[in-house]
Amino acid sequence: TQLLALTVVAAVASTLLCFALWDGGAGMWRVYFGTDTRASAILVGCTLALLVHRGRIVFQHCWLAPVGAAVLAASCIVPDSSAAAFLLVPVFATVGATCMIWGAASEGTVGGLETRPMQWVGKRSYGIYLWHIPVAQALYRTDAGWQVVALVTLVSGTSLAALSWRYVEEPFLRLKNR
């Protein structure tokens, strides 16, 4: 119970720190990329895992997955130049993803997440996250609309992550037993 309370309090504190630093004049990059200001997403995931592990969560909420997907999709259409992109998008993305996982889970499995396409994305998700940043930054310097930037970033970031998985990560993973 103490660990569960700690994860909830720390997640809320991380989110509040994000808003406090923004109001306090910290730069947008500090707020967006600070480990302390972004820890809430991981902590919410830890909270959800603790609830599942302890059997304290009921998964018969089929409406949560589509609501979560809608919230997650809505977080993708906020223009990046606004303060909302640095403050609210991470909150909405965390809430959306949490709702999707909670709503899709049933009897020890997470509906849809065990499929091959989702496993493919899951293995490359950190690479997709890492690669999308330089691609998006390069595209923001163009006159392309945000829709084009989003689509090209998604396709390019995913493609680069797939290449880096194949030619960098997989070879290193094969060495781990040596």
Side-chain angles (χ1 to χ4, degrees):
T1 316
Q2 291 175 341
L3 186 57
L4 184 61
L6 178 65
T7 59
V8 170
V9 169
V12 170
S14 174
T15 302
L16 293 175
L17 178 63
C18 188
F19 287 94
L21 285 175
W22 186 270
D23 284 344
M28 66 180 177
W29 296 111
R30 164 63 180 96
V31 172
Y32 192 76
F33 289 110
T35 301
D36 52 352
T37 57
R38 296 302 298 272
S40 58
I42 292 172
L43 291 163
V44 168
C46 292
T47 302
L48 188 59
L50 286 168
L51 289 170
V52 169
H53 179 71
R54 294 179 180 176
R56 292 187 181 170
I57 196 166
V58 177
F59 288 115
Q60 304 308 317
H61 300 289
C62 61
W63 56 270
L64 272 176
V67 167
V71 170
L72 197 55
S75 74
C76 295
I77 62 171
V78 175
D80 269 350
S81 61
S82 68
F86 291 94
L87 295 174
L88 297 178
V89 168
V91 173
F92 286 133
T94 301
V95 169
T98 302
C99 288
M100 286 177 64
I101 293 167
W102 186 350
S106 67
E107 299 185 26
T109 65
V110 180
L113 295 182
E114 68 277 353
T115 63
R116 290 182 66 94
M118 292 305 293
Q119 289 178 1
W120 187 93
V121 170
K123 286 180 181 177
R124 291 152 187 86
S125 63
Y126 189 64
I128 294 168
Y129 165 73
L130 290 177
W131 281 109
H132 98 278
I133 294 170
V135 171
Q137 287 301 315
L139 291 171
Y140 287 137
R141 291 172 172 75
T142 68
D143 290 332
W146 69 266
Q147 298 92 339
V148 173
V149 170
L151 179 63
V152 172
T153 299
L154 176 66
V155 172
S156 299
T158 302
S159 299
L160 289 167
L163 289 170
S164 103
W165 172 262
R166 172 70 177 96
Y167 294 108
V168 177
E169 294 178 61
E170 273 189 326
F172 277 100
L173 287 172
R174 284 193 292 270
L175 297 174
K176 71 180 178 183
N177 291 330
R178 292 184 185 183

